[in-house]
Amino acid sequence: MPAVTIRNLSDETHRALKVRAAQHGRSAEAEMRDILESAVRPAERLRLGSALSALSRKAGLTNADFGALEQARDKTPATPMSFE
């Protein structure tokens, strides 16, 4: 698992992190992981599966519709390309 080193962190910021970690009942390292995770992977980010599900519901599609599509699709394996 990757490790990150943060250099030149001010004493005030370090103290504030330790206080915040104590308020949440975890280590300073765990608090920093949580802060970074929240910053780069916000809860309100677009989730592709949820977006596709909402789109199909809006269009009125059902599982039966997808079953019909699955039966109708061509299942023949693709022919590999030749570079000769």
Side-chain angles (χ1 to χ4, degrees):
M1 184 168 287
V4 175
T5 301
I6 301 173
R7 290 180 172 59
N8 302 322
L9 190 63
S10 72
D11 290 336
E12 295 81 16
T13 301
H14 188 252
R15 274 194 298 276
L17 276 168
K18 291 180 105 174
V19 168
R20 181 175 162 157
Q23 290 172 338
H24 293 135
R26 54 185 166 214
S27 69
E29 184 176 338
E31 187 68 20
M32 287 183 251
R33 275 194 301 269
D34 185 67
I35 291 168
L36 287 170
E37 183 79 18
S38 297
V40 299
R41 297 181 62 186
E44 62 275 354
R45 73 184 186 277
L46 176 65
R47 295 177 182 264
L48 184 58
S50 299
L52 290 173
S53 177
L55 183 64
S56 66
R57 276 194 304 277
K58 185 176 179 182
L61 297 175
T62 65
N63 286 341
D65 296 322
F66 287 101
L69 289 171
E70 182 63 26
Q71 288 179 348
R73 83 175 172 92
D74 182 9
K75 296 178 182 154
T76 307
T79 305
M81 289 183 64
S82 174
F83 295 101
E84 297 175 2

